[in-house]
Amino acid sequence: MTALLNHFRLASLPPEAEAFREEVKDFLASHMPDSPPDVRARSWMGFSAEFSRAMAERGWVGMTLPQEYGGASLNAFSRFVLVEELLVAGAPVSAHWIADRQSGPLILKYGTDAQRRFYLPKICAAQAFFCIGMSEPNSGSDLASVGTRATRTDKGWRLSGRKIWTTNAPRCQYMIALVRTSGKPEDRQRGLSQFIVDLSLPGVTIRPIRDLAGDAHFSEVFFDDVELADDALIGQEGGGWEQVTAELAFERSGPERLYSSIMLLDHWIDCLRRSGDAEAHVAVIGRFATHLATLRNMSVTVTSQLVQGASPVVEAALVKDIGTEFEQSIPAVIEAAIAADPLAVVDADLYRTVAYVSQVAPTYSLRGGTREILRGMIARGLGLR
Protein backbone atom coordinates (compact mmCIF):
# COMPACT_ATOMS: atom_id res chain seq x y z
CA MET A 1 0.00 0.00 0.00
CA THR A 2 1.40 3.41 -0.91
CA ALA A 3 1.90 6.13 1.67
CA LEU A 4 -1.05 8.03 0.19
CA LEU A 5 -3.52 5.15 0.47
CA ASN A 6 -2.14 4.29 3.90
CA HIS A 7 -3.36 7.71 5.08
CA PHE A 8 -6.99 6.81 4.39
CA ARG A 9 -7.73 5.00 7.63
CA LEU A 10 -11.38 5.03 8.69
CA ALA A 11 -12.11 7.91 11.05
CA SER A 12 -15.34 8.99 12.72
CA LEU A 13 -16.81 12.16 14.12
CA PRO A 14 -16.43 12.42 17.90
CA PRO A 15 -19.58 12.34 20.09
CA GLU A 16 -19.38 16.06 20.89
CA ALA A 17 -19.47 16.89 17.17
CA GLU A 18 -22.55 14.71 16.67
CA ALA A 19 -24.20 16.38 19.68
CA PHE A 20 -23.48 19.77 18.07
CA ARG A 21 -25.44 18.61 15.00
CA GLU A 22 -28.76 18.93 16.87
CA GLU A 23 -27.93 22.51 17.82
CA VAL A 24 -27.31 23.33 14.15
CA LYS A 25 -30.55 21.68 13.07
CA ASP A 26 -32.50 23.75 15.61
CA PHE A 27 -30.86 26.94 14.31
CA LEU A 28 -31.71 26.09 10.71
CA ALA A 29 -35.30 25.28 11.60
CA SER A 30 -35.79 28.85 12.85
CA HIS A 31 -33.49 30.83 10.52
CA MET A 32 -33.71 29.20 7.10
CA PRO A 33 -35.62 31.29 4.54
CA ASP A 34 -38.64 29.57 3.00
CA SER A 35 -37.24 28.88 -0.47
CA PRO A 36 -38.05 26.35 -3.22
CA PRO A 37 -35.49 23.59 -3.97
CA ASP A 38 -34.06 25.28 -7.08
CA VAL A 39 -33.10 28.28 -4.89
CA ARG A 40 -31.76 26.09 -2.08
CA ALA A 41 -29.72 24.16 -4.70
CA ARG A 42 -27.64 27.35 -5.00
CA SER A 43 -26.61 26.97 -1.30
CA TRP A 44 -22.92 27.85 -1.36
CA MET A 45 -23.53 30.39 -4.11
CA GLY A 46 -26.48 31.89 -2.20
CA PHE A 47 -25.52 35.24 -0.64
CA SER A 48 -27.27 36.51 2.50
CA ALA A 49 -25.27 38.81 4.79
CA GLU A 50 -28.20 38.70 7.25
CA PHE A 51 -28.05 34.90 7.48
CA SER A 52 -24.25 34.95 7.88
CA ARG A 53 -24.50 37.52 10.69
CA ALA A 54 -27.10 35.40 12.47
CA MET A 55 -24.60 32.54 12.31
CA ALA A 56 -21.83 34.84 13.56
CA GLU A 57 -23.94 35.76 16.60
CA ARG A 58 -23.90 32.03 17.48
CA GLY A 59 -20.10 31.92 17.07
CA TRP A 60 -20.34 29.82 13.91
CA VAL A 61 -18.36 32.02 11.52
CA GLY A 62 -14.64 31.50 11.99
CA MET A 63 -15.59 28.84 14.53
CA THR A 64 -12.17 27.17 14.38
CA LEU A 65 -10.32 30.43 15.04
CA PRO A 66 -9.04 31.21 18.57
CA GLN A 67 -11.38 32.93 21.02
CA GLU A 68 -8.94 35.82 21.44
CA TYR A 69 -9.79 36.82 17.85
CA GLY A 70 -13.54 36.31 18.20
CA GLY A 71 -13.61 32.69 17.13
CA ALA A 72 -15.05 29.73 19.03
CA SER A 73 -11.84 27.64 19.22
CA LEU A 74 -13.78 24.60 17.99
CA ASN A 75 -12.06 21.94 15.91
CA ALA A 76 -12.48 20.91 12.26
CA PHE A 77 -14.89 18.10 13.25
CA SER A 78 -17.42 20.66 14.51
CA ARG A 79 -16.97 22.69 11.33
CA PHE A 80 -17.54 19.52 9.26
CA VAL A 81 -20.88 18.98 11.01
CA LEU A 82 -21.89 22.63 10.60
CA VAL A 83 -21.02 22.69 6.89
CA GLU A 84 -22.72 19.37 6.25
CA GLU A 85 -25.98 20.51 7.85
CA LEU A 86 -25.90 23.89 6.07
CA LEU A 87 -25.48 22.28 2.66
CA VAL A 88 -28.06 19.56 3.19
CA ALA A 89 -30.55 22.29 4.17
CA GLY A 90 -29.55 24.47 1.19
CA ALA A 91 -28.64 27.43 3.42
CA PRO A 92 -27.31 30.62 1.74
CA VAL A 93 -23.72 30.54 2.97
CA SER A 94 -21.58 32.22 0.34
CA ALA A 95 -21.30 35.61 2.11
CA HIS A 96 -18.95 34.26 4.80
CA TRP A 97 -17.93 31.02 3.03
CA ILE A 98 -14.44 31.89 1.77
CA ALA A 99 -13.40 33.99 4.77
CA ASP A 100 -14.49 31.21 7.13
CA ARG A 101 -12.97 28.35 5.14
CA GLN A 102 -9.73 29.82 3.77
CA SER A 103 -8.93 33.46 4.43
CA GLY A 104 -9.26 33.33 8.22
CA PRO A 105 -7.11 30.17 8.65
CA LEU A 106 -4.56 31.59 6.17
CA ILE A 107 -4.27 34.89 8.07
CA LEU A 108 -4.03 33.00 11.37
CA LYS A 109 -1.17 30.84 10.05
CA TYR A 110 0.83 33.31 7.95
CA GLY A 111 -0.33 36.79 8.96
CA THR A 112 1.33 39.25 11.31
CA ASP A 113 -0.08 39.81 14.77
CA ALA A 114 -1.48 43.17 13.57
CA GLN A 115 -3.21 41.45 10.62
CA ARG A 116 -4.71 38.83 12.90
CA ARG A 117 -6.05 41.43 15.30
CA PHE A 118 -7.50 43.58 12.52
CA TYR A 119 -9.06 41.01 10.15
CA LEU A 120 -9.98 37.95 12.23
CA PRO A 121 -12.53 39.66 14.55
CA LYS A 122 -14.23 41.17 11.48
CA ILE A 123 -14.40 37.72 9.85
CA CYS A 124 -15.84 36.12 12.99
CA ALA A 125 -18.48 38.88 13.25
CA ALA A 126 -19.39 38.46 9.53
CA GLN A 127 -18.44 42.10 9.01
CA ALA A 128 -15.69 41.34 6.48
CA PHE A 129 -16.25 39.07 3.49
CA PHE A 130 -13.33 37.82 1.38
CA CYS A 131 -12.91 36.60 -2.20
CA ILE A 132 -10.07 34.65 -3.80
CA GLY A 133 -7.70 36.19 -6.36
CA MET A 134 -6.00 33.23 -8.02
CA SER A 135 -7.26 32.62 -11.59
CA GLU A 136 -6.21 34.91 -14.42
CA PRO A 137 -7.38 35.36 -18.04
CA ASN A 138 -5.62 33.18 -20.65
CA SER A 139 -4.05 30.99 -17.95
CA GLY A 140 -6.63 28.22 -17.73
CA SER A 141 -5.72 26.01 -14.79
CA ASP A 142 -2.08 27.03 -14.82
CA LEU A 143 -1.99 28.90 -11.51
CA ALA A 144 1.82 29.17 -11.59
CA SER A 145 1.68 31.37 -14.71
CA VAL A 146 0.42 34.34 -12.66
CA GLY A 147 1.15 37.64 -14.40
CA THR A 148 -0.50 40.15 -12.06
CA ARG A 149 2.39 41.98 -10.45
CA ALA A 150 3.11 43.98 -7.29
CA THR A 151 6.13 46.30 -7.48
CA ARG A 152 7.94 47.86 -4.53
CA THR A 153 7.42 51.60 -3.97
CA ASP A 154 8.57 54.03 -1.29
CA LYS A 155 5.27 53.59 0.56
CA GLY A 156 4.55 49.93 -0.04
CA TRP A 157 3.48 48.17 -3.25
CA ARG A 158 1.86 49.08 -6.58
CA LEU A 159 -0.47 46.39 -7.92
CA SER A 160 -1.31 45.95 -11.62
CA GLY A 161 -3.04 43.13 -13.50
CA ARG A 162 -6.30 41.23 -13.68
CA LYS A 163 -8.06 38.33 -11.92
CA ILE A 164 -11.04 36.35 -13.23
CA TRP A 165 -13.72 33.91 -12.00
CA THR A 166 -13.66 35.73 -8.67
CA THR A 167 -16.73 34.74 -6.67
CA ASN A 168 -18.79 37.52 -5.05
CA ALA A 169 -16.15 40.23 -5.61
CA PRO A 170 -18.75 43.07 -5.79
CA ARG A 171 -20.08 42.05 -2.36
CA CYS A 172 -16.75 41.47 -0.60
CA GLN A 173 -14.58 43.97 1.23
CA TYR A 174 -11.28 42.14 0.68
CA MET A 175 -9.45 39.79 -1.70
CA ILE A 176 -6.41 37.67 -0.94
CA ALA A 177 -4.55 37.81 -4.25
CA LEU A 178 -1.67 35.66 -5.49
CA VAL A 179 0.62 37.94 -7.50
CA ARG A 180 4.17 38.06 -8.83
CA THR A 181 6.65 40.19 -6.86
CA SER A 182 9.80 39.15 -8.72
CA GLY A 183 10.89 37.39 -11.88
CA LYS A 184 8.71 36.48 -14.88
CA PRO A 185 5.71 34.18 -15.44
CA GLU A 186 8.21 31.65 -16.85
CA ASP A 187 9.70 31.39 -13.35
CA ARG A 188 6.56 29.49 -12.37
CA GLN A 189 6.21 28.99 -8.59
CA ARG A 190 9.15 31.26 -7.71
CA GLY A 191 8.63 34.95 -7.00
CA LEU A 192 4.95 34.70 -5.99
CA SER A 193 3.46 36.45 -2.95
CA GLN A 194 0.01 36.95 -1.42
CA PHE A 195 -1.58 40.31 -0.61
CA ILE A 196 -4.74 41.34 1.20
CA VAL A 197 -6.37 43.83 -1.15
CA ASP A 198 -9.00 46.30 0.07
CA LEU A 199 -11.44 46.24 -2.86
CA SER A 200 -12.56 49.83 -2.16
CA LEU A 201 -9.13 51.23 -3.07
CA PRO A 202 -8.74 53.56 -6.09
CA GLY A 203 -7.73 51.61 -9.20
CA VAL A 204 -9.83 48.52 -8.43
CA THR A 205 -12.56 47.82 -11.00
CA ILE A 206 -14.97 44.87 -10.69
CA ARG A 207 -16.96 43.61 -13.68
CA PRO A 208 -19.59 40.89 -13.00
CA ILE A 209 -19.74 37.80 -15.26
CA ARG A 210 -23.15 36.17 -15.82
CA ASP A 211 -23.17 32.35 -15.94
CA LEU A 212 -25.28 29.89 -17.95
CA ALA A 213 -27.98 29.85 -15.27
CA GLY A 214 -28.34 33.64 -15.43
CA ASP A 215 -26.63 34.24 -12.07
CA ALA A 216 -23.76 36.72 -11.68
CA HIS A 217 -21.62 35.21 -8.92
CA PHE A 218 -18.35 35.46 -10.85
CA SER A 219 -16.43 38.62 -11.63
CA GLU A 220 -13.42 39.95 -13.43
CA VAL A 221 -11.30 42.25 -11.23
CA PHE A 222 -8.90 44.82 -12.68
CA PHE A 223 -5.99 46.40 -10.77
CA ASP A 224 -4.73 49.61 -12.36
CA ASP A 225 -1.73 50.85 -10.33
CA VAL A 226 -3.45 50.15 -7.01
CA GLU A 227 -1.36 51.51 -4.13
CA LEU A 228 -1.04 48.97 -1.31
CA ALA A 229 0.48 49.67 2.09
CA ASP A 230 3.45 47.62 3.32
CA ASP A 231 1.22 45.66 5.65
CA ALA A 232 -0.89 44.33 2.75
CA LEU A 233 1.70 41.58 2.19
CA ILE A 234 0.70 38.39 3.96
CA GLY A 235 3.39 35.90 4.92
CA GLN A 236 6.80 35.98 3.32
CA GLU A 237 7.58 37.75 0.07
CA GLY A 238 8.21 34.97 -2.43
CA GLY A 239 6.46 32.40 -0.24
CA GLY A 240 3.13 32.68 -2.04
CA TRP A 241 3.19 29.27 -3.71
CA GLU A 242 3.62 27.36 -0.45
CA GLN A 243 0.94 29.51 1.19
CA VAL A 244 -1.59 29.16 -1.64
CA THR A 245 -1.06 25.40 -1.78
CA ALA A 246 -1.90 25.15 1.91
CA GLU A 247 -4.93 27.41 1.34
CA LEU A 248 -6.22 25.17 -1.45
CA ALA A 249 -6.12 22.18 0.89
CA PHE A 250 -8.74 23.96 3.02
CA GLU A 251 -10.84 24.57 -0.13
CA ARG A 252 -10.69 20.99 -1.39
CA SER A 253 -11.03 19.01 1.81
CA GLY A 254 -14.48 19.94 3.09
CA PRO A 255 -17.85 18.23 2.64
CA GLU A 256 -18.94 20.93 0.17
CA ARG A 257 -17.23 18.84 -2.52
CA LEU A 258 -19.82 16.08 -2.00
CA TYR A 259 -23.10 17.93 -1.57
CA SER A 260 -23.41 20.32 -4.53
CA SER A 261 -26.23 18.23 -6.07
CA ILE A 262 -27.73 16.94 -2.83
CA MET A 263 -30.79 19.23 -2.95
CA LEU A 264 -31.71 17.79 -6.35
CA LEU A 265 -31.21 14.21 -5.19
CA ASP A 266 -33.27 14.78 -2.05
CA HIS A 267 -36.13 16.40 -3.95
CA TRP A 268 -36.15 13.67 -6.62
CA ILE A 269 -36.39 10.97 -3.96
CA ASP A 270 -39.17 12.94 -2.26
CA CYS A 271 -41.08 13.16 -5.56
CA LEU A 272 -40.66 9.39 -6.11
CA ARG A 273 -41.89 8.75 -2.58
CA ARG A 274 -45.02 10.84 -3.14
CA SER A 275 -45.74 9.33 -6.58
CA GLY A 276 -45.16 5.73 -5.48
CA ASP A 277 -42.54 5.24 -8.23
CA ALA A 278 -39.53 4.72 -5.96
CA GLU A 279 -39.37 0.95 -6.51
CA ALA A 280 -38.39 1.42 -10.17
CA HIS A 281 -35.37 3.48 -9.17
CA VAL A 282 -34.29 1.75 -5.98
CA ALA A 283 -31.04 0.39 -7.50
CA VAL A 284 -29.98 3.87 -8.65
CA ILE A 285 -30.81 5.39 -5.27
CA GLY A 286 -28.86 2.62 -3.56
CA ARG A 287 -25.78 3.34 -5.70
CA PHE A 288 -25.99 7.04 -4.86
CA ALA A 289 -26.30 6.26 -1.14
CA THR A 290 -23.31 3.89 -1.24
CA HIS A 291 -21.11 6.37 -3.10
CA LEU A 292 -22.08 9.21 -0.79
CA ALA A 293 -21.39 7.17 2.35
CA THR A 294 -17.93 6.17 1.09
CA LEU A 295 -17.01 9.68 0.02
CA ARG A 296 -18.23 11.10 3.31
CA ASN A 297 -16.02 8.65 5.22
CA MET A 298 -13.03 9.75 3.13
CA SER A 299 -13.84 13.41 3.81
CA VAL A 300 -14.10 12.73 7.56
CA THR A 301 -10.68 11.07 7.35
CA VAL A 302 -9.19 14.19 5.74
CA THR A 303 -10.84 16.28 8.46
CA SER A 304 -9.27 14.08 11.13
CA GLN A 305 -5.86 14.76 9.57
CA LEU A 306 -6.52 18.52 9.75
CA VAL A 307 -7.46 18.13 13.41
CA GLN A 308 -4.10 16.41 14.00
CA GLY A 309 -2.31 19.38 12.43
CA ALA A 310 -1.40 17.70 9.14
CA SER A 311 -1.69 19.34 5.72
CA PRO A 312 -3.41 16.64 3.61
CA VAL A 313 -2.96 18.34 0.23
CA VAL A 314 -2.93 15.19 -1.92
CA GLU A 315 -5.59 13.39 0.12
CA ALA A 316 -7.89 16.41 -0.26
CA ALA A 317 -7.27 16.42 -4.02
CA LEU A 318 -8.31 12.75 -4.20
CA VAL A 319 -11.56 13.36 -2.30
CA LYS A 320 -12.32 16.44 -4.39
CA ASP A 321 -11.77 14.62 -7.69
CA ILE A 322 -13.90 11.58 -6.82
CA GLY A 323 -16.50 13.77 -5.09
CA THR A 324 -16.85 15.95 -8.18
CA GLU A 325 -17.56 12.90 -10.34
CA PHE A 326 -20.30 11.90 -7.90
CA GLU A 327 -21.83 15.38 -7.86
CA GLN A 328 -21.83 15.60 -11.65
CA SER A 329 -23.41 12.15 -12.08
CA ILE A 330 -26.55 13.05 -10.11
CA PRO A 331 -28.18 15.53 -12.57
CA ALA A 332 -27.28 13.34 -15.56
CA VAL A 333 -28.88 10.24 -14.03
CA ILE A 334 -32.02 12.09 -12.88
CA GLU A 335 -32.43 13.76 -16.29
CA ALA A 336 -32.26 10.31 -17.90
CA ALA A 337 -34.83 8.94 -15.44
CA ILE A 338 -37.23 11.79 -16.23
CA ALA A 339 -36.70 11.43 -19.98
CA ALA A 340 -37.38 7.69 -19.84
CA ASP A 341 -41.11 8.41 -19.29
CA PRO A 342 -41.98 11.40 -21.51
CA LEU A 343 -45.72 11.14 -20.77
CA ALA A 344 -45.27 11.49 -17.01
CA VAL A 345 -46.11 14.80 -15.32
CA VAL A 346 -42.91 16.23 -13.83
CA ASP A 347 -43.03 18.11 -10.54
CA ALA A 348 -42.41 21.80 -11.39
CA ASP A 349 -39.86 22.27 -8.58
CA LEU A 350 -38.01 19.14 -9.69
CA TYR A 351 -37.95 20.37 -13.27
CA ARG A 352 -36.49 23.77 -12.29
CA THR A 353 -33.96 22.18 -9.91
CA VAL A 354 -32.64 19.61 -12.37
CA ALA A 355 -32.44 22.32 -15.04
CA TYR A 356 -30.34 24.55 -12.76
CA VAL A 357 -28.03 21.80 -11.45
CA SER A 358 -27.48 20.42 -14.97
CA GLN A 359 -26.44 23.87 -16.18
CA VAL A 360 -23.89 24.47 -13.41
CA ALA A 361 -22.62 20.90 -12.86
CA PRO A 362 -19.83 21.20 -15.49
CA THR A 363 -18.22 23.87 -13.28
CA TYR A 364 -17.85 21.42 -10.39
CA SER A 365 -14.68 19.99 -11.97
CA LEU A 366 -13.27 23.47 -12.62
CA ARG A 367 -13.63 25.26 -9.29
CA GLY A 368 -10.94 24.58 -6.69
CA GLY A 369 -8.65 23.00 -9.30
CA THR A 370 -9.50 21.19 -12.50
CA ARG A 371 -9.69 17.42 -12.78
CA GLU A 372 -6.43 17.33 -14.76
CA ILE A 373 -4.54 19.34 -12.11
CA LEU A 374 -5.89 17.22 -9.27
CA ARG A 375 -5.05 13.95 -11.02
CA GLY A 376 -1.50 15.17 -11.60
CA MET A 377 -1.20 15.83 -7.86
CA ILE A 378 -2.63 12.39 -7.06
CA ALA A 379 -0.23 10.73 -9.48
CA ARG A 380 2.70 12.43 -7.74
CA GLY A 381 1.29 11.35 -4.38
CA LEU A 382 1.22 7.75 -5.62
CA GLY A 383 4.78 8.04 -6.88
CA LEU A 384 3.70 7.73 -10.52
CA ARG A 385 5.19 11.04 -11.75
Side-chain angles (χ1 to χ4, degrees), residues 104 131 142 185 342:
C131 57
D142 188 7

Side-chain angles (χ1 to χ4, degrees), residues 165 214 261 282 285 352 360 363 378:
W165 310 125
S261 301
V282 69
I285 295 169
R352 285 194 298 272
V360 300
T363 69
I378 296 164

Side-chain angles (χ1 to χ4, degrees), residues 137-149:
N138 306 316
S139 290
S141 298
D142 188 7
L143 184 58
S145 68
V146 161
T148 297
R149 182 175 293 274

Side-chain angles (χ1 to χ4, degrees), residues 291-310:
H291 289 171
L292 178 59
T294 303
L295 284 163
R296 183 177 183 274
N297 282 336
M298 293 175 72
S299 187
V300 171
T301 295
V302 173
T303 301
S304 73
Q305 293 172 4
L306 290 173
V307 170
Q308 294 164 19

Side-chain angles (χ1 to χ4, degrees), residues 3 15 30 38 101 105 110 130-131 141 167 180 207 274 276 285-286 368:
S30 58
D38 63 303
R101 182 182 64 192
Y110 295 105
F130 279 68
C131 57
S141 298
T167 304
R180 192 162 295 285
R207 182 182 299 165
R274 284 188 275 117
I285 295 169

